[in-house]
């Protein structure tokens, strides 16, 4: 045994010393998932882990890749760029994945996606909504709709609910790249709709006390408040706005599109309008099966971040299935399979919980349906996003 | 600035400043006895809030090793009204105090017994802080946990009036925070200034060797100091959590940094200094104009910088005497 291992190691060393790479056939198909399981971003990343694990269990239960189960390899990116780079490197070289779903944040993607691009490993961003993500390279695509497409729907919907809206306050987390990008879209939409931008207030995602901002909003006597932030700070802001007497409509951006907000603002979340790239109410069979199974397991509706991570894994699996039908996956070398998988991902059309999706040649998501929901709280803890037509 | 805004800022600043003050007292107590900064104090603050949450709710969400656990399927006996919540708060703070004692045993005492440089103890406490924060995340995930609405966070505003056409509102929870902080400061002031324990603590702080020769068990009083420090830190954590929610395992990081600013501003090791420093920083933050409020942390630290340029020993600190 020892001799066998030694000789294998010797052969590998010899190949490496000669500058040759050992071509290896793909025995087990492993898909990498690099999301934030720790750090401040973990609130989103942990939902993505649930979505990806759910996909692994559910899709393998339905036959995996044409009868062969696939495996997910998880790497924690933490909340920073260095963590994302490290996770990508580990997945590519150590776990030898065929493709990667990740990372959680757009600013992490700008740092780590070029690593995958150089290694020719396909990447599907599950929650990277900033401008310019698919343009990082040929191997980079995303299953998360860009914020500029999603956000304006919410303002239009608020105007339908209350056509008298005139004065608007916009609040955003200035230390979060996504929120600063999203608020630009919201502010432009406010102007485009002929509304008055009465006050713009900034905060930090780490803030807990929003008394100053709320006071400014109350004194501006606005009819609509638009918040771009994340679940913790955004939820707290909603709570404090209501506690201090703001009675008008509130719109939350994509960062507030998670049931993790419910325990923060509790009953005071009621009525908040959220623009969504995903809705549990989406009627497709793919989504309804996903929602039913998810509810059975977690006793709540799947949040958008879980649905997008699920969709990321599903797209990879379906592309692998399509490839396998043409040529058995275990006959591919890993490098060839990665390149073929990237081509197949971009070529396919997928019935996911997000609806039917596909990609343009750059890897930008083509998604037909977007949603606007309003939060309805049943009690202090439980609520749901009710789809507004 | 309009008068209504001035009044509002003043009241907001006093409420948050009083939390900073009692939180910073924990730092000050340890510093005055051991001459070191306990960097794990921010993590103890976080733990206090989580302990109270566990006592009044005891349900953990979808992530972490405790996911799905419900300690009280029929509802916690400590939930339901403000009085039982107050009891849970004290128990939570006591739990944080016990953790602080454990930190002393694991991170500080071994260093002290070997006569290590105080800087090493500082690094070791930083390590403990990171371990605690990550442990919380491992156990209960990164979710936000909120106290039930009967824990006086959701009560109607205590005061609401109009001044010059602008609204001034004081949340009930702000009044409670201010009142609890005042009571806590008075109790601590009494314990340290008037009781035998306080005298012994001051003796240990002044000169541990002499205190030991006088029959005072230095180790015992260090343990008491850490317990008190953890208790006030944990209490501050629950107070902030009640007002704004427990925003995940990293909840105490900002408060930890701000607490440092408070004690440096007030004067290292000075208890009245910690109170004054807390109030000054709270008020400075509250008076940052609304459109720049995202920069309020920078304003607080800039104020610290300016004051230290003028008075390096802090507002109430004593200048170091150089022996020649």
């Amino acid at each position: 045994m020892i001799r066998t291992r030694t000789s294998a190691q010797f052969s590998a060393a010899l190949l490496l010393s000669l500058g040759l790479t050992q071509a290896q056939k793909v025995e087990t198909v492993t898909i990498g998932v690099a999301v934030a399981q720790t750090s401040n971003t973990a609130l989103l990343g942990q939902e993505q882990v649930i979505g990806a694990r759910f996909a692994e269990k559910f899709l393998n239960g339905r036959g995996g890749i044409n009868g062969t189960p696939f495996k997910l390899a998880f790497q924690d990116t933490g909340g920073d760029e260095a963590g994302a780079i490290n996770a990508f490197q580990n997945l590519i070289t150590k776990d030898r994945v065929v493709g990667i779903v990740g990372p959680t944040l757009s600013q992490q993607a700008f740092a780590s996606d070029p690593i995958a691009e150089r290694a020719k490993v396909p990447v599907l961003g599950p929650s990277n909504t900033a401008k310019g993500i698919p343009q990082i390279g040929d191997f980079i695509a995303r299953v998360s709709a860009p914020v500029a497409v999603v956000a304006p729907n919410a303002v239009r919907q608020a105007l339908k609910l209350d056509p008298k809206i005139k004065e608007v306050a916009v609040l955003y987390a200035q230390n979060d790249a996504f929120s600063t990008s999203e608020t630009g879209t919201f502010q432009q939409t406010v102007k485009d709709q002929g509304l008055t931008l009465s006050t713009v207030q900034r905060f930090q995602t780490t803030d807990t006390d929003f008394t100053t901002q709320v006071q400014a909003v109350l004194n501006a006597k606005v009819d609509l408040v638009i918040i771009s932030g994340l679940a913790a700070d955004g939820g707290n802001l909603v709570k404090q706005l209501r506690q201090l007497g703001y009675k008008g409509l509130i719109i939350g951006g994509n960062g507030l599109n998670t049931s993790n907000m419910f325990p923060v603002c509790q009953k005071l979340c009621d009525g908040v309008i959220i623009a969504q790239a995903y809705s549990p109410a989406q009627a497709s069979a793919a989504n309804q099966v996903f929602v039913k199974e998810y509810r059975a397991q977690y006793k709540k509706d799947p949040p958008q971040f879980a649905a997008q991570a699920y969709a990321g894994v599903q797209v990879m699996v379906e592309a692998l299935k399509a490839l396998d039908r043409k040529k058995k996956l275990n006959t591919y070398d890993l490098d060839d399979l990665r390149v073929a998988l990237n081509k197949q991902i971009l070529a396919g059309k997928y019935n996911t919980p997000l609806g039917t999706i596909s990609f343009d040649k750059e890897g930008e998501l083509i998604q037909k349906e977007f949603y606007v929901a309003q939060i309805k709280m049943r009690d202090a803890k439980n609520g749901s996003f009710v789809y507004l037509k | 600035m309009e008068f209504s805004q001035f009044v509002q800022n003043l009241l907001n600043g006093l409420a948050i400043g009083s939390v900073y003050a009692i939180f910073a007292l924990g730092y000050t107590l340890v510093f005055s006895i051991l001459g070191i900064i306990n960097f794990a104090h921010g993590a103890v603050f976080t733990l206090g809030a989580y302990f109270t949450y566990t006592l009044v709710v005891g349900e953990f969400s979808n992530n972490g090793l405790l996911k799905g656990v419900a300690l009280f399927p029929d509802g916690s006996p400590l939930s339901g009204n403000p009085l039982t919540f107050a009891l849970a708060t004290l128990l939570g703070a006591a739990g944080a105090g016990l953790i602080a004692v454990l930190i002393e045993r694991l991170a500080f005492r071994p260093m002290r017994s070997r006569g290590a440089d105080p800087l090493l103890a500082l690094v070791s406490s930083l390590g403990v802080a990171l371990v605690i924060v990550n442990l919380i995340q491992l156990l209960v995930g990164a979710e936000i946990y909120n106290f039930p609405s009967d824990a006086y966070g959701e009560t109607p505003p205590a005061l609401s009036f109009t001044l010059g056409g602008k609204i001034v509102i004081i949340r009930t929870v702000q009044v409670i925070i201010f009142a609890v902080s005042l009571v806590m400061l008075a109790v601590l002031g009494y314990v340290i200034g008037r009781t035998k324990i306080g005298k012994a603590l001051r003796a240990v702080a002044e000169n541990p060797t002499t205190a030991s020769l006088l029959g005072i068990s230095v180790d015992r009083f260090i343990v008491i100091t850490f317990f008190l420090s953890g208790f006030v830190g944990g209490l501050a954590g629950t107070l902030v959590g009640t007002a704004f929610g427990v925003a995940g395992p990293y909840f105490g990081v900002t408060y930890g940094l701000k607490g440092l600013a408070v004690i440096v501003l007030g004067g290292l090791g000075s208890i009245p200094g910690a109170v004054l420093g807390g109030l000054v920083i709270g008020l400075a933050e509250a008076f940052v104009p609304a459109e720049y409020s995202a920069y309020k942390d920078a304003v607080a630290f800039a104020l610290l910088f300016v004051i230290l340029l003028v008075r390096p020993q802090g507002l109430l600190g004593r200048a170091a005497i150089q022996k020649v």
Side-chain angles (χ1 to χ4, degrees), chain A residues 164-186:
Chain A
K164 287 181 191 156
I165 290 172
K166 281 265 177 291
E167 308 281 331
V168 183
V170 168
L171 299 99
Y172 70 96
Q174 64 156 18
N175 62 332
D176 175 52
F178 161 71
S179 295
T180 51
S181 157
E182 188 186 63
T183 196
T185 306
F186 272 130

Side-chain angles (χ1 to χ4, degrees), chain A residues 57-375:
Chain A
K57 192 178 163 199
F58 185 72
L59 298 173
N60 272 332
R62 296 192 155 202
I65 302 164
N66 302 328
T68 310
F70 66 93
K71 213 173 84 178
L72 292 186
F74 286 86
Q75 286 282 337
D76 178 13
T77 61
D80 60 5
E81 289 82 347
I85 288 171
N86 194 34
F88 269 50
Q89 280 169 338
N90 278 337
L91 287 173
I92 294 166
T93 54
K94 196 174 117 248
D95 297 312
R96 304 178 57 75
V97 298
V98 293
I100 297 173
V101 176
T104 303
L105 300 177
S106 294
Q107 57 204 48
Q108 288 180 313
F110 287 119
S112 61
D113 285 357
I115 309 270
E117 177 67 21
R118 282 196 289 277
K120 294 187 165 46
V121 176
V123 173
L124 280 175
S127 51
N128 312 142
T129 52
K131 199 177 164 186
I133 296 285
Q135 289 74 30
I136 292 171
D138 295 340
F139 285 78
I140 314 301
R142 61 175 160 193
V143 286
S144 41
V147 67
V149 179
V150 183
N153 296 330
V155 180
R156 286 192 280 270
Q157 190 62 248
L159 282 168
K160 265 193 203 169
L161 290 176
D162 182 3
K164 287 181 191 156
I165 290 172
K166 281 265 177 291
E167 308 281 331
V168 183
V170 168
L171 299 99
Y172 70 96
Q174 64 156 18
N175 62 332
D176 175 52
F178 161 71
S179 295
T180 51
S181 157
E182 188 186 63
T183 196
T185 306
F186 272 130
Q187 290 183 35
Q188 190 55 49
T189 309
V190 166
K191 287 174 196 157
D192 293 347
Q193 297 288 334
L195 305 171
T196 310
L197 197 55
S198 302
T199 178
V200 176
Q201 297 287 321
R202 304 171 189 91
F203 56 91
Q204 311 261 15
T205 50
T206 47
D207 281 351
T208 47
D209 180 3
F210 299 98
T211 321
T212 315
Q213 290 91 340
V214 171
Q215 216 63 41
V217 168
L218 291 176
N219 284 326
K221 294 191 169 61
V222 298
D223 316 302
L224 174 68
V225 171
I226 303 176
I227 302 168
S228 291
L230 301 178
D233 43 304
N236 243 319
L237 192 40
V238 168
K239 181 167 93 173
Q240 289 172 45
L241 273 165
R242 292 298 190 213
Q243 279 178 344
L244 293 175
Y246 174 71
K247 292 201 166 51
L249 281 172
I250 300 175
I251 289 177
N254 199 40
L256 277 67
N257 184 14
T258 161
S259 50
N260 278 332
M261 204 177 95
F262 300 164
V264 187
C265 40
Q266 302 186 18
K267 279 182 186 165
L268 301 175
C269 298
D270 207 64
V272 174
I273 298 168
I274 309 270
Q276 298 181 309
Y278 167 74
S279 167
Q282 206 271 350
S284 72
N287 186 43
Q288 288 314 307
V289 171
F290 170 64
V291 172
K292 193 177 157 206
E293 295 287 329
Y294 193 97
R295 275 186 193 146
Q297 203 166 326
Y298 295 105
K299 317 285 178 241
K300 64 174 191 177
D301 280 344
Q304 179 181 298
F305 292 96
Q308 286 174 328
Y310 177 97
V313 175
Q314 186 193 344
V315 166
M316 290 252 177
V317 170
E318 288 194 14
L320 286 162
K321 275 163 130 178
L323 281 182
D324 185 68
R325 279 193 287 271
K326 292 178 210 161
K327 181 186 164 187
K328 282 286 156 206
L329 295 185
N330 59 11
T331 62
Y332 275 95
D333 292 337
L334 181 61
D335 291 344
D336 296 341
L337 179 57
R338 286 167 169 173
V339 174
L341 175 61
N342 189 54
K343 273 189 195 150
Q344 186 60 45
I345 286 171
L346 298 182
K349 203 172 186 181
Y350 310 90
N351 289 320
T352 70
L354 309 173
T356 304
I357 61 170
S358 57
F359 302 90
D360 71 9
K361 61 179 184 338
E362 279 190 319
E364 183 62 276
L365 176 72
I366 301 169
Q367 181 177 341
K368 285 184 186 131
E369 291 172 86
F370 296 102
Y371 316 90
V372 180
Q374 196 163 23
I375 295 175

